[in-house]
Amino acid sequence: MLQDFKKSILVSIWFVFLTFPLMVVRVNTMDQVVIWRWMNLVWVAIGSFILSYLWRYMLSRKQARTKVAEEGGDTRTKLQLLLEDMNFRYKAMGVILVLILIFPLVFDTYQSTIMISALIYVVLGLGLNISVGLAGLLDLGYVAFFGVGAYTYALLNHHFDLGFWITLPIGGVLGCLLGVVLGFPILRLRGDYLAIVTLGFGMIFKVVMENWDALSFGPSGIANIDRPSFFGMDLSLANSTIYIYYIMIAMVIFTILITNRLKNSRIGRAWIALREDEIACVAMGIDMAKTKLSAYALGAFWAGMVGVLFASKTTFINPASFTFMESAIILSIVVLGGMGSILGVILGAFILILLPEYMRAFSEYRMLAFGAAMVLMMIFRPQGIISNLRQTYEYKGTKEKTDNG
Amino acid sequence: MEYFLELFLGGTTRGSIYALIALGYTMVYGIIQLINFAHGEIYMIGAFVALIVAGVCTIYGLSGVSILILAGVIAVIYASAYGYTLEKIAYRPLRGAPRLSPLISAIGMSIFLQNYVLLAQTSDFLPFPRLIPEFAFMEPVAHIIGSPELVILVTTFITMILLTLLIKKTKVGKAMRATQQDMSMARLVGVNVDRIISLTFVIGSALAAIGGVLVASYIGQVNFYIGFLAGVKAFTAAVLGGIGSIPGAVLGGLVLGWAESFAAGYISSDYEDVFTFGLLVLILILRPSGILGKARKQKV
C-alpha cells in the first residue's frame, strides 16, 4: 500500500518534470514576455498520480485475464455471450433497423448530416477493416483511395457532367485499380514497411493534388459538384440530405453483407491465416501476393465508392480533406472498435465521430484522445471494444452414439 | 558549377540532419524490430524545448552562444526523458505482443504527442531565434556555405564519432550490440536487456534533439507538425541505408539529402516530398535490405 503510494508520488514528480517546459512556460517573443501557467503543473501532478494508480489496476486485471485464458477458462464476457445468442441478435437488428430508417424523418437536416458523416466513416472503417483487421496489412494512406473516389466524381462531373450513379462504381473500381497498381510492388514487404510506404503514398496523393493545377485545380479545390439526382429530379437541400442518408444506409448494409460473407469465405480465411502467421500460411499453399493484393484492393474499393458519395454530399472538395489525420481517424476507428470485428468497427465509428460532434467543448482534445486511446487499447484491450469471435464448430451429437461407435 | 556545389553542400547539411534522426530509428529497429513512429515527435519536442529555453533566456538578458549551448543541453535532456518515458509507457507493456500492436501504439503515441504540444503551446509557427553566429572567417565562401551549415556539419560529425566510439569501445556499446544480435542470449550472459533498450531510446532521442535544435535554428521556425515529415524522411533515410545498420543510417541520410537537394534544384521544389517517397518505394522494391544492410533470411 505504502509502496504503491510512493511509486505514484514518484510518477507524479516525473511527469511534473517532464511537462514543465511545455505546459507551464509560454514565451511570447513579440511582446517579450514569459507567461507562467503554474496551475497546469498542479493538474499534471494530480492527474498523473491518479492515472498511475489506474494504470497499475488495469495491468493487474489484464494479467488476471490472461491467467484465466491460459488455464482454459471462459474469458467471454456477458456482452459477447449475448451477441452470440441468435434470437437476441435478430430482435436487436430489427429494432436498430427501424430506428435508423425513421431517423431522418424525426430529426432535422443538421442531425441527418452528422449521421451521414458518421455512416461514411462506418463504411471507411469497414473497408479498412478488410486490410488491417482481417489481413493484418497496416495501411496508413487509406485516405488516398477515398480521395481518388472523391476526385473521380468531382472531375467527371465537372468536365463531362456525369451523374452520381454512373460514377459510383467508377470511383470504386478506380480506387480498386489504384490499390492493385500500388499494392503490387509493395505487398512483398513486411508489415511495418508497408505501413510507411502507404503513409508516403497518402502524402504523395495530397502533394500531387495540391500542385497539379491542370488536373485538380490545386488547393482551391473543385466546387459546385452535383448532388445525387433522384430519377432526374433535382431535390431541395433538405430532401437531398434525406436521400443521401438513405443511399448511405443502403451502402452500409451492402458493405456489412459483403464483408460478412467475405470474412467466412475461403479468401477471408486465407486473410486471417496470413495475418496470424505468414510463413505457416504460405507453407499451406496460399498464394501470398494474391491474397494480400485482394485484401488491399477490396479495401480500396470501398474507399473509392464512399469518396464519390462524400464529394456529392459536400459538393466541394479540396486536398485539405485528405490528410494523414483522416487516415489516422479511420485507423483508430478500426483499432478501437476491434480489428476484424464488423459490429465493433461500426460501434467505433459512431463513438469516434458522434462523440466529438455532440461534445463541441472538447472537440479540440479529439485527436489527443484518439492518440491516447490507440495506445491504451493496444496495451489493455488489443481486441477492441467488441472483439472478433472466431467461428467455432461444436460437435452437437449425443454422447451415447460416440460411446457405441 | 557553383550552383552544383551549393546544392551539394545544402544537400549535405540536410542529409546530416536526416542522418541524426535516422540513427534513432535504426538503433531502435535493430534492437526491438519496431518502427518508432513517435521518434519524429521527440525531435519536435527537442526543438520546442530549445525554443522555450532560448526565449526565456533572451528575455532575461542572456545572449549569444551561451543560449545556444544551454538550450541545446536542456533540449537533449528533455528529449531523452521523453524518449525514455515513451518506451516505458507505450512499448514495454507490448513486448511479445503481435507485431501490429506496438506499431499501432507508436502511431497513437505520435498523434498524442503532436496534439499535446499543439494544445500546451500553439498551432502557429513560432520564430526560432538565430542562435548560430556568423563567423568572420566564413566571409569569402558565404555565398556557397554559411556559418549555420558549417556548425551543423561539424556538430553532426562530432556526434557521429562519439556515437561510434560509444558503440564500438565501451561496455555499454558491447551490450547493445549483443542485444541486437540475440536478445535472449544477451540476457543469459547477464546483460540487463530492459535497461539496454531504455538506453537505446535515450540515445536515439538525444540525437534527434540535437538534430531538432540545429534544424530549428537553421530554418528559423518551429511548429508542432515539423516532427511528422522529418520523421518519415528520416525513416526513409534509415531504410535507404539499410535499417539496423548505423553507418547505413548516416549514408542513407546523406544520399537522401543530396537526392532532395538536386531534385528540388534542377527539377521542381513543389514535388520535393514526392521524390523522397518515390525513392523510398523504389528502394523497397529493388533492394529492401538497403545499401549497407544485409538481407536476412527469416527462420522458423
Side-chain angles (χ1 to χ4, degrees):
Chain A
M1 205 47 215
L2 192 71
Q3 215 175 1
D4 274 357
F5 187 73
K6 241 191 219 162
K7 249 190 205 164
S8 288
I9 288 285
L10 280 178
V11 168
S12 175
I13 292 172
W14 176 251
F15 274 95
V16 164
F17 161 73
L18 214 54
T19 51
F20 174 72
L22 288 166
M23 295 282 280
V24 176
V25 189
R26 186 159 180 179
V27 185
N28 191 334
T29 36
M30 289 291 159
D31 308 332
Q32 294 287 311
V33 282
V34 185
I35 305 159
W36 302 88
R37 299 169 292 177
W38 293 109
M39 267 322 274
N40 281 349
L41 215 57
V42 178
W43 297 125
V44 168
I46 297 171
S48 53
F49 183 79
I50 296 170
L51 284 179
S52 78
Y53 262 99
L54 217 63
W55 181 269
R56 265 199 301 276
Y57 169 71
M58 295 286 281
L59 266 187
S60 67
R61 248 190 60 173
K62 189 190 170 196
Q63 269 162 5
R65 244 201 335 260
T66 42
K67 211 173 164 193
V68 171
E70 269 168 16
E71 284 162 2
D74 196 353
T75 52
R76 287 178 299 182
T77 57
K78 274 186 191 139
L79 183 70
Q80 280 172 337
L81 288 172
L82 196 64
L83 285 172
E84 270 178 71
D85 182 4
M86 273 322 212
N87 202 359
F88 171 78
R89 253 200 208 187
Y90 288 131
K91 273 184 201 157
M93 267 190 223
V95 171
I96 291 172
L97 200 66
V98 170
L99 281 180
I100 283 174
L101 285 180
I102 61 169
F103 183 86
L105 307 175
V106 177
F107 293 98
D108 57 4
T109 311
Y110 173 69
Q111 302 291 341
S112 303
T113 315
I114 292 174
M115 253 341 225
I116 292 173
S117 54
L119 290 171
I120 286 180
Y121 280 97
V122 168
V123 177
L124 283 175
L126 287 172
L128 186 65
N129 189 29
I130 295 178
S131 53
V132 177
L134 294 179
L137 305 169
L138 190 55
D139 184 350
L140 296 179
Y142 192 64
V143 80
F145 301 123
F146 182 53
V148 165
Y151 268 98
T152 304
Y153 179 54
L155 290 171
L156 287 177
N157 188 265
H158 184 85
H159 293 298
F160 305 107
D161 240 3
L162 281 186
F164 171 78
W165 290 106
I166 306 171
T167 326
L168 191 64
I170 299 180
V173 170
L174 272 184
C176 192
L177 272 180
L178 195 70
V180 173
V181 171
L182 270 163
F184 200 69
I186 56 180
L187 283 173
R188 282 183 310 150
L189 304 173
R190 276 232 320 274
D192 25 17
Y193 283 144
L194 185 71
I196 208 114
V197 170
T198 49
L199 173 72
F201 167 62
M203 286 172 131
I204 289 177
F205 176 78
K206 192 175 163 253
V207 172
V208 169
M209 283 300 141
E210 269 171 1
N211 291 305
W212 193 359
D213 290 349
L215 177 79
S216 66
F217 300 96
S220 53
I222 304 169
N224 291 326
I225 305 164
D226 288 340
R227 292 202 176 79
S229 62
F230 185 66
F231 296 110
M233 281 187 284
D234 281 329
L235 300 166
S236 69
L237 180 64
N239 283 336
S240 159
T241 307
I242 295 174
Y243 183 48
I244 293 177
Y245 177 86
Y246 283 121
I247 297 176
M248 210 53 232
I249 291 286
M251 203 140 134
V252 168
I253 293 173
F254 179 57
T255 314
I256 294 171
L257 285 178
I258 300 278
T259 36
N260 203 18
R261 297 295 298 164
L262 273 175
K263 208 168 113 181
N264 295 323
S265 70
R266 192 183 169 80
I267 189 150
R269 277 158 196 271
W271 288 337
I272 294 170
L274 203 66
R275 180 189 70 190
E276 298 291 307
D277 192 330
E278 214 168 283
I279 297 171
C281 174
V282 174
M284 296 296 289
I286 289 167
D287 183 346
M288 185 172 76
K290 215 158 85 191
T291 314
K292 277 187 178 178
L293 210 58
S294 59
Y296 200 60
L298 269 169
F301 175 75
W302 296 114
M305 285 231 299
V306 178
V308 173
L309 198 123
F310 173 77
S312 78
K313 177 209 158 204
T314 52
T315 69
F316 167 74
I317 54 165
N318 69 349
S321 314
F322 310 105
T323 56
F324 169 70
M325 275 305 133
E326 292 299 313
S327 291
I329 291 174
I330 305 168
L331 181 68
S332 39
I333 285 172
V334 176
V335 169
L336 224 68
M339 284 189 276
S341 150
I342 292 174
L343 191 62
V345 171
I346 297 172
L347 210 67
F350 278 115
I351 291 173
L352 287 194
I353 304 304
L354 295 184
L355 218 59
E357 206 61 60
Y358 289 114
M359 296 167 77
R360 283 274 168 190
F362 301 99
S363 63
E364 52 183 303
Y365 297 97
R366 185 169 76 145
M367 288 316 288
L368 189 80
F370 283 8
M374 271 160 94
V375 178
L376 294 178
M377 282 310 255
M378 279 299 117
I379 295 171
F380 296 118
R381 213 180 148 74
Q383 71 272 37
I385 306 173
I386 296 178
S387 58
N388 181 30
L389 276 184
R390 287 281 183 85
Q391 199 148 20
T392 46
Y393 295 101
E394 275 169 44
Y395 181 64
K396 294 233 172 75
T398 46
K399 263 229 167 115
E400 293 96 278
K401 266 187 190 165
T402 40
D403 285 344
N404 293 339
Chain B
M1 190 57 210
E2 205 164 80
Y3 187 54
F4 176 84
L5 203 65
E6 198 187 315
L7 288 180
F8 177 79
L9 286 171
T12 315
T13 314
R14 212 187 257 231
S16 54
I17 299 286
Y18 290 151
L20 273 179
I21 311 171
L23 281 169
Y25 277 110
T26 245
M27 285 165 70
V28 167
Y29 194 92
I31 287 187
I32 53 174
Q33 276 83 46
L34 164 78
I35 297 178
N36 180 11
F37 260 98
H39 191 61
E41 266 54 60
I42 298 288
Y43 151 90
M44 178 266 296
I45 285 174
F48 240 105
V49 170
L51 169 80
I52 289 165
V53 173
V56 173
C57 287
T58 322
I59 288 168
Y60 287 102
L62 270 86
S63 67
V65 185
S66 59
I67 297 185
L68 180 65
I69 291 167
L70 193 65
V73 168
I74 294 181
V76 165
I77 290 172
Y78 264 99
S80 309
Y82 270 95
Y84 173 79
T85 316
L86 172 76
E87 193 268 333
K88 219 155 186 187
I89 290 180
Y91 304 142
R92 186 164 297 178
L94 290 172
R95 218 162 287 156
R99 285 184 67 105
L100 211 51
S101 301
L103 201 57
I104 291 173
S105 175
I107 294 164
M109 219 46 198
S110 161
I111 297 171
F112 178 83
L113 286 175
Q114 263 178 40
N115 285 278
Y116 156 68
V117 174
L118 165 72
L119 292 169
Q121 293 287 318
T122 167
S123 62
D124 303 331
F125 270 100
L126 294 176
F128 198 93
R130 293 225 170 266
L131 298 175
I132 303 173
E134 293 287 336
F135 302 118
F137 64 84
M138 290 296 290
E139 209 65 57
V141 287
H143 56 292
I144 300 173
I145 177 170
S147 305
E149 280 100 330
L150 186 75
V151 171
I152 289 176
L153 288 177
V154 171
T155 318
T156 316
F157 190 67
I158 294 171
T159 315
M160 304 270 177
I161 288 176
L162 286 178
L163 181 69
T164 315
L165 285 179
L166 175 80
I167 285 169
K168 295 268 176 208
K169 300 284 181 201
T170 63
K171 211 173 168 185
V172 172
K174 210 178 201 173
M176 283 171 86
R177 279 180 289 150
T179 314
Q180 178 161 8
Q181 280 172 9
D182 191 330
M183 201 188 278
S184 45
M185 194 58 211
R187 197 176 274 134
L188 278 179
V189 294
V191 175
N192 187 342
V193 171
D194 279 340
R195 189 175 292 164
I196 292 297
I197 293 174
S198 286
L199 190 73
T200 311
F201 271 87
V202 167
I203 294 173
S205 306
L207 295 174
I210 294 173
V213 177
L214 290 174
V215 166
S217 56
Y218 176 51
I219 297 174
Q221 53 182 6
V222 167
N223 154 285
F224 74 96
Y225 203 61
I226 57 166
F228 187 69
L229 200 61
V232 177
K233 285 189 176 173
F235 177 76
T236 308
V239 173
L240 193 64
I243 199 149
S245 141
I246 286 174
V250 178
L251 185 66
L254 289 173
V255 169
L256 186 69
W258 289 326
E260 272 193 358
S261 183
F262 287 128
Y266 286 124
I267 306 170
S268 155
S269 59
D270 283 346
Y271 292 101
E272 199 185 289
D273 299 341
V274 176
F275 293 127
T276 314
F277 294 121
L279 196 64
L280 175 67
V281 174
L282 220 62
I283 293 153
L284 286 176
I285 295 165
L286 298 176
R287 195 177 156 78
S289 51
I291 303 171
L292 293 183
K294 279 178 235 124
R296 251 197 252 173
K297 283 259 155 55
Q298 206 172 353
K299 290 180 192 159
V300 189

